[in-house]
Every structure is written in structure tokens, then in C-alpha cells.
Amino acid sequence: MTVPGIAYTELYVEDAHKYAAQLRDDWGFTLYEPAAAAPGTAQVVAHQGSVRVLLTSAVEAGHPVAGWVRRHGDGVAVIALRHADPAAAAAAAERAVAAGAVRLDGAGTVSGFGDLALRFTGPEDLLPPGELPGPGALLSLDHVAVVVPGGQLGDSVRWAVEGLGHREVFREYVEVGDQAMDSRVVQSPCGTVTFTLLEPDTSRASGQIDGFLTAHGGAGVQHLAYATGSITAAVRELAARGVAFLSTPGAYYDALESRLGPTAIPVAELRDTHVLVDRDHGGELFQIFARSTHPRRTLFLELVERRGAGSFGTANIKALYEAVERERATADS
């Protein structure tokens, strides 16, 4: 069952209009309001490239959205998966339920990973009325990274395969000092929906993945990775707007040419912008991670530029882990 892509991500937030203004000012999104907000909520859509982010906040404290935010803080609550037509969306929802998901409403929304829900939609994807805004730095949603509690990764992968029709395309065990985590990637057959699933190795020392689960209150989205056409230009543009990115030690770039040889983006330019690079049989992957602005530090954004690569930065997963550890250490000192 082919899924054309992710229609939108829905974030439950304390103040939809305030969060939307931050996406507009810092990340260059265009904003518009849906024709009718869901009952009991205020909603704003942020749009850039093919990216749609639906921001939802509760009008009253007793609304379920408000309860979700109290448990997790602002965060990704729903991933909407777009199908060719309503019948295909309904069939996909039935498959997920048959594999163990719980139906959450009558609109094709089911339980996914922890409190992260999945919504199966038809071809509509929150397009704004009239002419589409011009392109920004962000083109599309490359992948969604989800953290699950220790011991649940295998079951989560199996459910994605059986319930969503995905296939496992990558796995990696990452060790940093006395900490470690498992990473497995599942993807739709057409390659347009990708979940990176992470769990802590609970036999090792507690680290950032354990910290996410504690601060977030269970499984959830750790980061959203957005594709861009020129990552170094995007970093400079977004940094000028006020986005802060994680830094990478100079030693990473000192060893880069001996590890990979010449890269499509010169090492000096990568060093200047703190962009990471990895290579697989298809080409090169460039990536960088924004510093989290979340009060609980449980959600951040990533930029990705693919020049033929289909992988997820095997050599850079450890670099990300180390960079986030440095940020945690700095914030705690």
C-alpha cells in the first residue's frame, strides 16, 4: 500500500499563534488559518515548500490538547499520512488497527508510538487558498525521529512493518563513552515516509535518550528533519534570522578529508557552517541540527541536504549524540 507522503505534522502547543510567529520569524514559514478550527481549539498552519505544520492549542484547560501539553510540553502529537484517496486512507487505518493500533477518532486517527498518533488522510494536505507562497530554505520533511522506551524498539519496528507496511532500511548501535542507544529506520515502500526509531540501552549509563523519555513523559518525536537544496546557504540564512545550530569540534573537520576524501561541499565551507557530512554508495549526505528552544529540550529540528545518499549519516549519529551531550553539559553548568 503506497503512501504518497506526509501531509502534515500537527503540534499541540500552549499558544498556537505564538508558536506560529516563531516559525515565521526564525524559520521563514508562511502562516494562514484553516477555514474552521477543530472544536475547542485555536489553529494556525505554517507552510514552506511542501512542508505543512498544523499548530493546535486548546481554548480551555479541560480540553484533551491541553492535557497532552501538560504531559509533554509543546510537541508533535500527530503525523498525517497522505493517501491517494479517502478509500485508501480508510484501508490503511484498518490495517493499522488490525496490527494493534487503537482507533482514536472517526477521522482516521489511530495510536502510533506512545502518545504520538497517526492520521490517515486523503489527497488534501492543508494547502492554503489562492497562490502558494514562494520557496524558502525548507523543501520537504525528510524524516521523523521517534524515541521509544528501552526494550520497545523491536516491537515498534514490527508494528511499523505490519501496521504501516513499512520496511526496515537501516540499523545502528551507537556508543558514546559509557552511554549507548539503538537506532533503526523504517520507511514506506515508495520512500516518502521515514521514521528513525531510537531507544536507550538501559544496561548502560543513562544519557540523553533516557533524559528525553523522562522530560517528555514517554515515547515521542525527538526531532523533525527538513530537506533543503543548499544546506550551507540555508544555515547562513536561518542563522541570520536567529536560529542557533549545534557546533561541531574542529577536530571533526581536521580528520574529514583523510576519512572521506574530497567532498562536494568544500571542507572549509562545512567547517564555517558546522555542517556534518557522510557518504554511502549513492552519494553524500549533509546535515546539521538546530539547538532546541523547547523548555524541556525535548524537540529540535534538523536540516538535511542529500546529494545521492539514501542513508542517515551513520558516522554522524555519534557526532550528533556528542553535540547534544555538550549542549546538555553547557546548559547544566
Side-chain angles (χ1 to χ4, degrees), residues 59-313:
V59 174
E60 297 180 354
H63 195 280
V65 169
W68 195 100
V69 173
R70 283 192 294 272
R71 289 194 302 277
H72 306 297
D74 294 352
V76 181
V78 183
I79 304 291
L81 304 177
R82 184 176 59 248
H83 292 73
D85 55 58
E94 289 296 335
R95 174 176 179 160
V97 170
V102 176
R103 196 180 298 278
L104 301 178
D105 62 21
T109 307
V110 306
S111 60
F113 308 101
D115 276 356
L116 173 64
L118 301 177
R119 181 174 298 142
F120 300 93
T121 73
E124 69 281 355
D125 60 354
L126 298 181
L127 286 173
E131 188 174 339
L132 295 178
L138 310 183
L139 301 178
S140 60
L141 181 57
D142 186 87
H143 64 272
V144 178
V146 180
V147 174
V148 300
Q152 295 187 16
L153 183 59
D155 287 341
S156 297
V157 171
R158 281 189 291 275
W159 183 81
V161 171
E162 296 172 7
L164 301 178
H166 285 195
R167 55 196 172 90
E168 184 176 349
V169 297
F170 175 82
R171 63 171 63 193
E172 177 77 2
Y173 181 76
V174 180
E175 295 181 87
V176 179
D178 56 358
Q179 305 171 22
M181 69 173 182
D182 267 317
S183 171
R184 295 169 69 176
V185 178
V186 293
Q187 192 173 73
S188 62
C190 55
T192 55
V193 178
T194 304
F195 291 106
T196 300
L197 302 174
L198 313 167
E199 75 167 0
D201 183 342
T202 55
S203 69
R204 308 289 291 272
S206 179
Q208 63 175 268
I209 303 300
D210 307 87
F212 172 93
L213 291 166
T214 299
H216 181 75
V221 174
Q222 181 208 44
H223 71 268
L224 299 171
Y226 291 119
T228 183
S230 173
I231 193 166
T232 53
V235 168
R236 292 187 174 106
E237 174 189 336
L238 295 171
R241 285 178 169 271
V243 176
F245 292 94
L246 297 183
S247 61
T248 302
Y252 173 88
Y253 300 99
D254 294 340
L256 191 55
E257 192 162 0
S258 62
R259 180 168 67 86
L260 292 181
T263 53
I265 301 175
V267 172
E269 188 173 353
L270 298 176
R271 185 193 296 268
D272 184 55
T273 53
H274 293 276
V275 169
L276 304 169
V277 59
D278 198 18
R279 182 180 290 141
D280 63 18
H281 64 277
E284 292 177 343
L285 169 72
F286 299 90
Q287 58 191 153
I288 191 170
F289 306 90
R291 198 176 299 276
S292 178
T293 60
H294 195 290
R296 303 187 190 188
R297 289 181 286 160
T298 50
L299 178 66
F300 58 92
L301 302 181
E302 175 187 359
L303 294 182
V304 170
E305 180 186 347
R306 294 185 182 275
R307 298 200 181 189
S311 58
F312 298 87

